Amino acid sequence: MRMSRRMENLAPYLFVEISKKIAEKKAKGETVVSFAIGDPDMPTPPNIIETLCQEAHNPVNHRYPETEGLPELRQAIAEWYKKRFDISLDANEEVLPLIGSKEGIGHITFCFIDSGDIALVPDPGYPVYSVSTMLAGGESYYMPLTEENNFLPDLEAIPPPILKRAKLLWISYPNNPTGAVADLDFFNRAVKFAQQHELAICHDAAYSEIAFDGYQSASFLQADGAKEIGVEFHSLSKSYNMTGWRIGMVVGNTKVISALREVKSNLDSGIPQAIQYAAIEALTGPQDYLQEKNAVYQRRRDLLVEILNSIGLEAKPPKAGIYIWAKVPKDYTSMEFTNDLLDRLGVVVAPGTGFGKNGEGYVRLSLTVPDAGLVKGLSRLAEWRSSKRQFRQKEVT
Ligand SMILES: Cc1ncc(COP(=O)(O)O)c(C=O)c1O
């Protein structure tokens, strides 16, 4: 059997490795508290589940769904955008439901990138932007996201020869993994930049509905001219605790939406219809749930940030999203610190380098740990300094 060359360049997905390590620990009978994965622990709201159950009984929903999704779902997405961001969308031409936003993010690359083309991707960043670029035969140019620049890419620093070959610019705020946010001014600058250099922009807004202290995320499509050059990805996964149901959407530029619909119709067979009805209920039903959920995350954020700073890790409270991006102690790399926490304390975090080389010096902690685990995790983290001292003494003696 001879596998493709691209398989050689495909590293295992970061969380597959982390899950393996957790399973090994558990098999030895050890308890592990994982802050590594951003998978909401709270359940999908009951009204959404209720709709899903009812629709699952309807035989009409047992058959192949259409790639473009139910017209009622596209309409619900357009109305949600109008209500939430005051953006008008044509439900037929500018909206496309997805089997989770990861699916669309992976597939949209095939609409832009041929062999030798470049995609501009954030580093650190969600790994799917660069992996899909590689699978499409293209190259990623990594834009460093640094603290000095508030974890925004410095677009003007991209070398002109790179810009000549670049076709696609990826941005994502509220950001995974850094927890940074972007305002409308940044989105306006990004659109101007894309117009100057004939780039398309894909904005990944998977975390837009999780925000704290009254902060409200802007939509990239609110920027002047955004719809002429780009699209925005959204997901019901984090907003409505629906990661397991697999449903998201992409909205914006008609030509891009149409190209992605074309790719998808050749590769997948749409979203199960009962899940589409559940999504309609999520988007059009009561929304107070969002605030309740954000209050839980905010409380966890404050507890975690306090503990992390108390053991010497610099961590700022994020305004939005579900992640804390913490600086590791000076004498550790990201990976060394991650392994130290796992080996000695049974606490799992995601190493910053799993998101790119500019993630060195950081670890990412997710707020999606249920309260019982959180209390255990916090007390284990609080022990880190003293257990380190004892461990080092043991090493010396
Ligand atoms: C930045 C970002 N975008 C997109 C996704 C994909 O979410 P989903 O496929 O569940 O919609 C994730 C998931 O963690 C993410 O972190």
Side-chain angles (χ1 to χ4, degrees), residues 13 15 38-39 99-105 125-129 172 174-177 204-207 233-238 242-244 246-249 322-323 364:
Y13 194 60
F15 298 112
D39 190 357
I99 313 169
S101 63
K102 183 179 185 182
E103 174 267 300
I105 291 168
Y126 183 53
V128 186
Y129 315 137
S172 177
N175 186 256
N176 172 16
D204 176 0
Y207 297 91
F233 286 88
H234 252 290
S235 175
L236 278 79
S237 286
K238 322 282 172 165
M242 290 176 73
T243 48
R246 310 309 304 134
I247 188 152
M249 66 267 205
I322 54 174
Y323 302 113
R364 191 196 75 174

Side-chain angles (χ1 to χ4, degrees), residues 255-277:
K255 191 171 166 187
V256 180
I257 296 288
S258 159
L260 183 56
R261 194 190 300 122
E262 196 81 23
V263 170
K264 279 171 59 61
S265 66
N266 278 285
L267 291 178
D268 70 55
S269 299
I271 307 154
Q273 285 192 176
I275 293 174
Q276 296 192 48
Y277 283 111

